[in-house]
Amino acid sequence: MGANTSQVSDLSDNPSLRTLVGTESISENDPFWNQLISFTFISPTSSGDSKLLEEAVIPLAKILIENNPRSGNFGALVRIFLGRTKELKVSTECQDQLFIWQAHNALFMLRCLLKVFIREMSEEELHLQFSYQERAPGSCAETGSEDLLEELLSNLIHLIVEVPLLDITYSILFEAVTTLLVFFSYQLFNKDILRDGLIYQHIMKGRCLSLTSRLVKTLLYNFIRQEKCPPPATHIFEQKAEGGLLYGLASGVASGLWSVFTLGGAGNKAGVDQEHNPLPLSNQSLLLLLVLANLTDGPDWPNPYRQAITCFRNTQDTSSMSAEQPHTFQINFNSLYTALCEQQRSDQATLLLYTLLHQNANMRTYMLSRTDMDNLVLPILEILYHVENRNSHHVYMALIILLILTEDDAFNRSVHEVELKNITWYTERTLTEISLGSLLILVVIRTIQFNMTRTRDKYLHTNCLAALANMSAQFRCLHQYAAQRIISLFALLSKKHNKVLEQATQSLRGRQGDDTALPDYAQDLNVIEEVIRMMLEIINSCLSNSLHHNPNLVYALLYKRELFEQFRTHPSFQDIMQNLDTVIGFFSQRLEQAGSDLSVERVQEVIIKGAQALPTDRLKKFPELKFKYVEEDQPEDFFIPYVWSLVFNAGVGLHWSPHGIELFSMDSG
């Protein structure tokens, strides 16, 4: 059957739903509930169907908000779901599809209602909606002592960690993960970062706390497994004469639940097709994991989910668990590494990689010990290469990852030992054979040049140059094109320096006696000169530490030696220019002695022999260039709006535009 959107538009007239949202209390023992949650989903056709469904739910949810204090039907629906979850694990083992099907439908209805509730009311008001009890004849009108909200949150986490992932449980596990995300979506409607609240308290300190490590481990394994959504089965259950939640809904549009999370493409301007996302559970699990990891610490307690992410260990680690790390667990690092390598096209996978590299010392050590680092680095370089099609935060994450990797000297040496062939996505020039290190240099330099002409972001410049500086002492056998691009970047900076200097001079001449404010050319010059000095230090570091390994850089330096003339007497560069002058003078003399009209091959031969003959003590030693990424350099709570932008862009059924949190202040292009 196809989607029948006209029937969704009539959803508000459905008798069963009108009864649910009405003023009359419905006993939990009433056959009505069994009828209500007996409907069937099929695979989605488009996210437009889910949009129509949500719009149809809004008026019904608003009626329920008004009537629930008298009827208590929302709480009854919650208890109907909780009753089903108690036997869910047994039902899975017995392949009881009917039981799982009904539990899923009840949870789906709760999620649809909760999305409206969270948009329309505060957490305190939401808590009251959970506390209202039915007022049937002979029953007590007072609210119960149980905290139904905490009970639901706890049961959702139990469901995620205890129910095995099978074809018949895929949809309810997806619903459980997504419903937790919906609970946290209060952040989307608040400009300030939420640091407290009922849901926050329950998740961080309540009954859910004991399940911290199991939840994080399960979400990671969901990401690792990358299970595709199982194909829609034929309708197992026959249509009843008086269907529950509109059989028309069952026959198509309710299936939009599979596409509610696919809107927006997770911030990828390149337009990765998210309309028919084959990995919904994997993606939702990763989003929930990132949300949990970026919850703020409480006044007297740290975020336990961040603790779990920062201290988990490899399954091959046989050492005893530390009592100081109560939320630690073990997971297969090889499987996690493989999944990270394969999924770097998405912002959320890149953010997870950053989180693990920066915060989990066990995982960072494991990654840096791999002999196939090209599987991880190449996807990161491809993100940077297509910088114009990526949002700025994805680019920043990729750069920070490179910066963290280049803090390790062994990494900086090993990337030059990995030979690559036919890099098809690099289109400026055909690269039939190049080392991973040279390719990394090419992509970072290209990113710098893109930033100089487009975004002009100093933070991006800083990270790019810091990564190159960290690598410079270990530059080995640079590709001819990589060496050329290093010098070409210096030429571009030199040209920009001269242009700003000329503008400043002309401005001063034209404004003699004029008291109006001058453009701040001094600041512009200062920034450009800082970048030029950094480039000179990078070139000098390579020449001082590995000149004999880099004849192509010496060749490029000699070919463009006139670029460096103007900086020889500049007070900001005199010290660093001494070594470059020494190298240029030494090799120029060797080439003059070799004769005139030398071929390229002959010049390279002279350079290689000269590199062996140049005494190392003739080059002045400078402090080693080393830069470390420091998270404190980021604005406070930088990653919280970033994570929620991913949640919002990925959908989670939250189609309404957020009126709260400022998702980004930086340009998205």
Side-chain angles (χ1 to χ4, degrees):
M1 294 184 183
N4 189 338
T5 54
S6 64
Q7 293 189 25
V8 173
S9 65
D10 297 332
L11 198 60
S12 60
D13 296 325
N14 177 258
S16 296
L17 292 179
R18 299 297 296 185
T19 300
L20 173 67
V21 304
T23 58
E24 295 296 322
S25 297
I26 309 168
S27 169
E28 293 171 36
N29 298 321
D30 196 304
F32 165 84
W33 296 107
N34 193 57
Q35 179 186 11
L36 179 70
I37 60 177
S38 296
F39 56 92
T40 305
F41 294 159
I42 62 171
S43 59
T45 55
S46 72
S47 58
D49 288 346
S50 61
K51 173 72 170 176
L52 289 171
L53 174 61
E54 291 177 19
E55 290 175 347
V57 168
I58 292 174
L60 289 167
K62 288 184 175 180
I63 295 172
L64 182 59
I65 291 171
E66 182 180 346
N67 292 332
N68 189 52
R70 293 189 295 275
S71 70
N73 286 341
F74 178 73
L77 178 58
V78 173
R79 282 185 285 274
I80 291 296
F81 167 70
L82 293 177
R84 296 294 195 281
T85 61
K86 291 176 181 177
E87 303 297 331
L88 205 55
K89 189 174 181 180
V90 175
S91 299
T92 302
E93 294 170 354
C94 299
Q95 296 286 303
D96 187 347
Q97 297 185 45
L98 173 61
F99 200 90
I100 298 169
W101 170 63
Q102 289 187 327
H104 166 270
N105 290 352
L107 182 55
F108 171 72
M109 292 180 68
L110 285 171
R111 178 167 68 86
C112 288
L113 293 169
L114 282 168
K115 283 185 292 183
V116 185
F117 284 17
I118 287 171
R119 190 183 71 158
E120 297 291 327
M121 63 183 72
S122 67
E123 282 190 272
E124 291 73 17
E125 292 169 327
L126 177 67
H127 192 240
L128 282 176
Q129 293 291 335
F130 277 88
S131 66
Y132 296 130
Q133 303 284 320
E134 63 176 291
R135 297 187 183 182
S139 67
C140 179
E142 298 173 354
T143 58
S145 59
E146 65 175 333
D147 190 334
L148 201 58
L149 172 58
E150 183 175 20
E151 181 76 14
L152 178 57
L153 289 169
S154 177
N155 268 266
L156 288 174
I157 294 177
H158 272 283
L159 193 160
I160 293 169
V161 302
E162 291 180 354
V163 174
L165 176 54
L166 306 170
D167 280 359
I168 61 173
T169 60
Y170 191 103
S171 59
I172 193 169
L173 288 170
F174 166 77
E175 276 301 320
V177 171
T178 306
T179 303
L180 282 176
L181 276 171
V182 169
F183 269 118
F184 284 116
S185 66
Y186 267 111
Q187 183 64 80
L188 285 172
F189 304 97
N190 287 272
K191 289 186 177 181
D192 298 326
I193 302 298
L194 296 182
R195 305 175 187 277
D196 206 343
L198 288 170
I199 296 168
Y200 177 95
Q201 294 276 350
H202 289 323
I203 291 293
M204 297 279 273
K205 295 200 304 180
R207 293 159 55 184
C208 303
L209 182 61
S210 63
L211 297 170
T212 295
S213 58
R214 292 180 66 191
L215 178 59
V216 171
K217 183 176 182 177
T218 301
L219 294 175
L220 278 172
Y221 268 125
N222 286 349
F223 168 70
I224 289 170
R225 291 178 65 175
Q226 296 289 310
E227 291 285 350
K228 293 184 178 180
C229 178
T234 55
H235 292 163
I236 303 170
F237 309 102
E238 293 296 327
Q239 177 181 0
K240 299 180 180 179
E242 306 238 350
L245 178 66
L246 263 183
Y247 193 78
L249 177 66
S251 66
V253 181
S255 65
L257 80 99
W258 293 116
S259 54
V260 296
F261 47 85
T262 62
L263 299 183
N268 187 345
K269 292 172 65 178
V272 176
D273 183 14
Q274 298 286 330
E275 178 67 17
H276 297 94
N277 187 346
L279 305 169
L281 179 60
S282 172
N283 294 340
Q284 295 298 81
S285 296
L286 180 51
L287 287 172
L288 178 57
L289 182 66
L290 293 172
V291 167
L292 291 169
N294 285 280
L295 293 174
T296 56
D297 292 335
D300 303 313
W301 65 88
N303 178 348
Y305 302 95
R306 187 183 300 126
Q307 284 184 319
I309 288 172
T310 59
C311 68
F312 68 78
R313 305 185 307 172
N314 197 350
T315 50
Q316 296 181 353
D317 187 345
T318 57
S319 60
S320 59
M321 297 284 191
S322 171
E324 297 177 358
Q325 299 174 330
H327 303 296
T328 190
F329 60 90
Q330 290 182 296
I331 198 167
N332 188 308
F333 276 16
N334 180 61
S335 299
L336 179 55
Y337 178 82
T338 301
L340 287 167
C341 293
E342 293 174 349
Q343 299 301 317
Q344 285 307 307
R345 286 181 300 174
S346 73
D347 289 65
Q348 48 265 42
T350 304
L351 182 52
L352 176 62
L353 174 58
Y354 156 78
T355 302
L356 296 178
L357 268 175
H358 179 52
Q359 299 183 9
N360 190 311
N362 301 322
M363 193 68 197
R364 180 171 62 252
T365 301
Y366 176 84
M367 289 185 189
L368 289 169
S369 70
R370 296 282 302 208
T371 57
D372 59 347
M373 279 296 290
D374 52 308
N375 290 335
L376 186 66
V377 175
L378 281 173
I380 298 300
L381 295 183
E382 194 170 354
I383 292 170
L384 294 176
Y385 185 79
H386 297 294
V387 57
E388 64 275 8
N389 296 323
R390 301 286 179 175
N391 71 71
S392 59
H393 286 67
H394 201 181
V395 172
Y396 286 138
M397 285 297 96
L399 278 175
I400 293 170
I401 287 167
L402 285 185
L403 179 55
I404 293 172
L405 292 172
T406 60
E407 292 171 11
D408 185 76
D409 286 341
F411 170 84
N412 294 332
R413 288 190 295 270
S414 65
V415 290
H416 294 289
E417 298 169 359
V418 179
E419 291 296 325
L420 307 171
K421 294 184 178 180
N422 300 318
I423 308 300
T424 56
W425 48 262
Y426 194 98
T427 56
E428 268 89 344
R429 177 167 172 162
T430 301
L431 300 175
T432 55
E433 191 168 340
I434 189 171
S435 71
L436 179 60
S438 289
L439 180 63
L440 194 159
I441 293 167
L442 284 175
V443 172
V444 171
I445 288 176
R446 184 180 184 276
T447 305
I448 293 173
Q449 292 179 322
F450 175 85
N451 186 52
M452 288 176 64
T453 57
R454 303 281 187 89
T455 56
R456 300 180 181 180
D457 188 309
K458 185 179 179 181
Y459 181 74
L460 190 147
H461 259 13
T462 301
N463 279 295
C464 286
L465 291 169
L468 289 177
N470 285 345
M471 295 177 65
S472 59
Q474 279 85 33
F475 282 172
R476 294 289 188 276
C477 303
L478 291 183
H479 190 279
Q480 180 183 7
Y481 186 52
Q484 290 173 6
R485 299 306 296 165
I486 291 173
I487 304 304
S488 294
L489 176 58
F490 185 84
L492 182 63
L493 291 167
S494 176
K495 183 178 179 181
K496 191 173 183 65
H497 177 270
N498 293 340
K499 182 178 179 181
V500 174
L501 190 61
E502 182 181 353
Q503 288 174 336
T505 304
Q506 290 178 352
S507 179
L508 285 170
R509 288 173 181 169
R511 288 175 176 259
Q512 290 182 353
D514 190 345
D515 294 332
T516 57
L518 289 171
D520 197 355
Y521 290 114
Q523 183 177 355
D524 290 346
L525 267 177
N526 184 55
V527 171
I528 294 172
E529 287 179 359
E530 283 181 6
V531 177
I532 288 175
R533 179 168 180 90
M534 179 71 84
M535 282 301 301
L536 287 172
E537 288 180 342
I538 289 169
I539 295 170
N540 176 72
S541 175
C542 175
L543 297 177
S544 300
N545 292 281
S546 54
L547 183 146
H548 59 289
H549 289 300
N550 291 288
N552 285 331
L553 182 62
V554 176
Y555 184 99
L557 188 67
L558 292 171
Y559 190 74
K560 292 287 187 180
R561 54 182 174 265
E562 71 278 359
L563 287 173
F564 301 90
E565 291 290 335
Q566 61 177 309
F567 299 107
R568 181 175 292 132
T569 57
H570 194 292
S572 298
F573 311 120
Q574 276 183 318
D575 59 336
I576 203 75
M577 280 298 301
Q578 291 179 20
N579 282 349
L580 271 70
D581 278 344
T582 298
V583 171
I584 291 172
F586 177 82
F587 283 99
S588 295
Q589 184 180 16
R590 304 274 295 198
L591 290 173
E592 288 176 5
Q593 294 173 352
S596 59
D597 298 326
L598 301 177
S599 65
V600 173
E601 291 76 13
R602 176 60 180 149
V603 171
Q604 290 176 331
E605 181 184 342
V606 171
I607 290 173
I608 291 171
K609 290 182 178 179
Q612 304 295 329
L614 178 64
T616 55
D617 57 2
R618 289 185 60 180
L619 299 180
K620 181 181 177 181
K621 294 296 181 183
F622 287 85
E624 183 182 8
L625 295 179
K626 270 299 172 187
F627 295 88
K628 288 182 69 69
Y629 167 69
V630 181
E631 192 173 25
E632 285 70 21
D633 293 341
Q634 300 282 6
E636 184 183 10
D637 302 322
F638 173 83
F639 294 104
I640 295 176
Y642 180 32
V643 169
W644 276 106
S645 75
L646 300 180
V647 175
F648 181 73
N649 287 335
V652 191
L654 302 169
H655 292 312
W656 305 297
S657 298
H659 302 293
I661 189 171
E662 298 289 341
L663 293 182
F664 287 118
S665 58
M666 285 180 273
D667 183 80
S668 62

